[in-house]
Amino acid sequence: MKTGKSKVLKAAICILGIFLAFNVFWYVWRNAKYGSYIKGMKESEIPDRIVPRYYYVDDEGYDYSVKYPDYLSFTGNMSVGLPSADGNPFTDFLIIWPKLDGRYEYGVSLTVEGTNYQIMINDDGSAIDSKFSGIVASCKETIDILLLKGDKMWHLE
């Protein structure tokens, strides 16, 4: 009987050890990866020790933000948004998802004629899904500016 309980206890300790090691790895990786993106930014007023958020507004009014990955996730994001217009803080913005392999995925939120579109784009600003090519083409200047601002802030290339 003792042997069975002993094996279960050893297995439980092993599983707990693996879980704790993964948590430590995730925490260290997350802070190293996303810590490089927050230079010069302020911590958000929304207190969250597990998922920190940072922001910055440049001299031209462009909004930048960084959201660390959720608990045990490897996907956080950065965003850059156009300056607010007429007191409306909801503007077009670019969102950037850093990938584990060092690459990035991009998306944009664009408002065209009162309709909001959320579109995945390539790093050159073109639409991944061809059905959005027209909308992306009509907003090319905005997308190019947002990509340039994001690259200048986070050295994405």
Side-chain angles (χ1 to χ4, degrees):
M1 208 53 184
K2 286 185 177 182
T3 316
K5 286 183 181 180
S6 174
K7 286 182 180 180
V8 169
L9 183 59
K10 285 180 183 179
I13 290 171
C14 183
I15 290 170
L16 180 61
I18 291 169
F19 179 71
L20 290 173
F22 185 76
N23 272 268
V24 168
F25 168 79
W26 170 81
Y27 185 81
V28 170
W29 172 86
R30 180 197 74 161
N31 287 343
K33 176 85 172 174
Y34 283 80
S36 66
Y37 299 130
I38 63 167
K39 290 184 177 122
M41 300 181 90
K42 296 178 183 176
E43 193 164 9
S44 175
E45 290 84 26
I46 303 169
D48 192 341
R49 298 196 133 272
I50 294 175
V51 185
R53 291 171 170 79
Y54 291 83
Y55 72 95
Y56 170 73
V57 178
D58 71 13
D59 294 337
E60 298 176 83
Y62 286 85
D63 292 306
Y64 300 83
S65 67
V66 173
K67 178 194 164 284
Y68 277 48
D70 290 327
Y71 179 62
L72 297 184
S73 169
F74 291 94
T75 305
N77 64 63
M78 296 111 67
S79 68
V80 58
L82 293 176
S84 60
D86 301 324
N88 181 4
F90 302 103
T91 62
D92 294 348
F93 64 90
L94 168 72
I95 190 161
I96 305 157
W97 293 276
K99 306 313 289 174
L100 288 174
D101 62 6
R103 295 179 304 120
Y104 301 92
E105 287 184 356
Y106 301 88
V108 288
S109 179
L110 304 167
T111 302
V112 178
E113 297 177 5
T115 302
N116 183 263
Y117 298 91
Q118 295 181 356
I119 304 168
M120 295 298 294
I121 60 171
N122 294 304
D123 59 0
D124 65 358
S126 61
I128 291 176
D129 187 334
S130 61
K131 75 179 180 183
F132 295 112
S133 293
I135 295 164
V136 167
S138 71
C139 298
K140 181 167 178 32
E141 184 178 336
T142 296
I143 293 169
D144 287 347
I145 289 169
L146 292 172
L147 284 166
L148 183 67
K149 292 283 188 179
D151 183 49
K152 185 177 178 184
M153 181 71 168
W154 294 295
H155 313 289
L156 301 173
E157 307 249 336

